């Protein structure tokens, strides 16, 4: 819808420019016509140009005046049309300015909402990261304790446990299992976080915290 309105405004501007160019062309044509008719009068009279209304009582001068009146009427209509077009452009510009103001208000409300959500997500991300760190440390500790316990079971003065297989003399057996090493997952930004960063780069959101941090 916005694109269509911008195109309409551009079309109106082009029409106004075209009318202005046509008006200039008509004025130039009227001046040329006046000069031509005046020249004809001078050539026919073989004397100076007419200086008063009494000098314009001929058929040629009547035709000249009629032509000039017609041109002036056309120019007057074009001026009125341009004025109407200018008024329409002003009204169109006012509508666009009002729509721009409303869209800006909606954008600001949405930006404030996003920043409020982001402020909450920052706290959540910190807690989640802390939980993952604790889980990673706990798992590493469990693996170390498991290895330590297997070492105790393998001692001859305890159970002489062989993890890989049971020997004929073994009195103790258990399923062979070793906790696999796990690598802590790298923290990645969510699609929502990436979108917020793009909005900040574009200037839609403030660069640091914005309304959320200022409160």
């Amino acid at each position: 819808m916005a694109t269509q309105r911008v195109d309409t405004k551009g079309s109106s501007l082009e029409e106004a420019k075209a009318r202005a160019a046509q008006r200039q062309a008509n004025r130039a044509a009227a001046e040329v016509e006046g000069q031509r008719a005046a020249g004809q009068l001078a050539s026919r009279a073989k004397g100076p140009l007419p200086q008063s209304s009494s000098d314009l009582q001929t058929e040629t001068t009547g035709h000249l005046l009629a032509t000039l009146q017609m041109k002036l009427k056309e120019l007057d209509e074009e001026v009125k049309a341009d004025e109407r077009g200018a008024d329409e452009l002003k009204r169109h510009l006012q509508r666009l300015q009002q729509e721009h103001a409303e869209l800006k208000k909606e954008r600001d409300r949405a930006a404030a909402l996003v920043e409020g959500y982001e402020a909450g997500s920052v706290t959540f991300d910190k807690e989640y990261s802390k939980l993952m760190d604790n889980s990673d440390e706990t798992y590493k500790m469990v693996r170390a304790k498991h290895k330590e316990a297997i070492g105790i079971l393998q001692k001859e003065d305890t159970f002489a446990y062989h993890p890989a297989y049971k020997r004929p003399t073994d009195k103790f057996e258990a399923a062979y299992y070793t906790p696999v090493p796990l690598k802590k997952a790298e923290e990645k930004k969510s699609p929502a976080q990436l979108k917020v960063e793009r909005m900040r780069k574009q200037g839609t959101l403030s660069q640091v915290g914005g309304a959320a941090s200022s409160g």
Side-chain angles (χ1 to χ4, degrees), residues 51-108:
Q51 300 297 325
S52 64
S53 59
S54 59
D55 297 332
L56 299 175
Q57 304 298 324
T58 64
E59 181 180 353
T60 301
T61 55
H63 175 71
L64 171 61
L65 290 175
T67 300
L68 292 177
Q69 288 175 350
M70 181 183 65
K71 294 293 184 182
L72 289 174
K73 185 177 180 181
E74 291 177 357
L75 290 175
D76 184 61
E77 291 297 329
E78 290 177 0
V79 169
K80 291 180 180 179
D82 286 344
E83 290 176 348
R84 290 192 296 270
D87 292 338
E88 178 62 27
L89 283 177
K90 289 179 180 178
R91 289 192 294 270
H92 183 68
L93 180 60
Q94 290 176 350
R95 288 195 297 269
L96 289 178
Q97 290 174 339
Q98 292 174 353
E99 292 176 4
H100 177 269
E102 290 298 324
L103 290 174
K104 186 177 183 298
K105 290 180 181 178
E106 293 180 6
R107 186 212 57 186
D108 292 342

Side-chain angles (χ1 to χ4, degrees), residues 155-168:
K155 291 181 178 181
E156 293 294 333
D157 57 348
T158 56
F159 295 95
Y161 169 64
H162 194 283
Y165 54 88
K166 180 182 179 182
R167 294 167 295 191

Side-chain angles (χ1 to χ4, degrees), residues 22-42:
Q22 184 62 38
R23 184 170 67 251
Q24 291 179 353
N26 290 339
R27 287 177 178 174
E31 291 177 359
V32 171
E33 179 67 19
Q35 293 175 357
R36 184 187 64 79
Q40 289 180 352
L41 285 175

Side-chain angles (χ1 to χ4, degrees), residues 77-179:
E77 291 297 329
E78 290 177 0
V79 169
K80 291 180 180 179
D82 286 344
E83 290 176 348
R84 290 192 296 270
D87 292 338
E88 178 62 27
L89 283 177
K90 289 179 180 178
R91 289 192 294 270
H92 183 68
L93 180 60
Q94 290 176 350
R95 288 195 297 269
L96 289 178
Q97 290 174 339
Q98 292 174 353
E99 292 176 4
H100 177 269
E102 290 298 324
L103 290 174
K104 186 177 183 298
K105 290 180 181 178
E106 293 180 6
R107 186 212 57 186
D108 292 342
R109 286 194 293 267
L113 187 62
V114 169
E115 290 184 345
Y117 285 146
E118 188 188 10
S121 69
V122 169
T123 302
F124 174 81
D125 290 340
K126 288 181 179 179
E127 293 296 327
Y128 180 77
S129 179
K130 183 178 179 180
L131 174 63
M132 294 302 295
D133 290 339
N134 292 338
S135 299
D136 183 62
E137 293 298 327
T138 301
Y139 185 74
K140 289 178 179 178
M141 182 188 69
V142 169
R143 288 187 71 247
K145 291 296 183 181
H146 178 271
K147 184 177 181 181
E148 182 181 342
I150 293 298
I152 294 174
L153 293 174
Q154 288 177 326
K155 291 181 178 181
E156 293 294 333
D157 57 348
T158 56
F159 295 95
Y161 169 64
H162 194 283
Y165 54 88
K166 180 182 179 182
R167 294 167 295 191
T169 58
D170 289 343
K171 297 179 181 181
F172 177 84
E173 66 176 313
Y176 178 69
Y177 172 75
T178 300

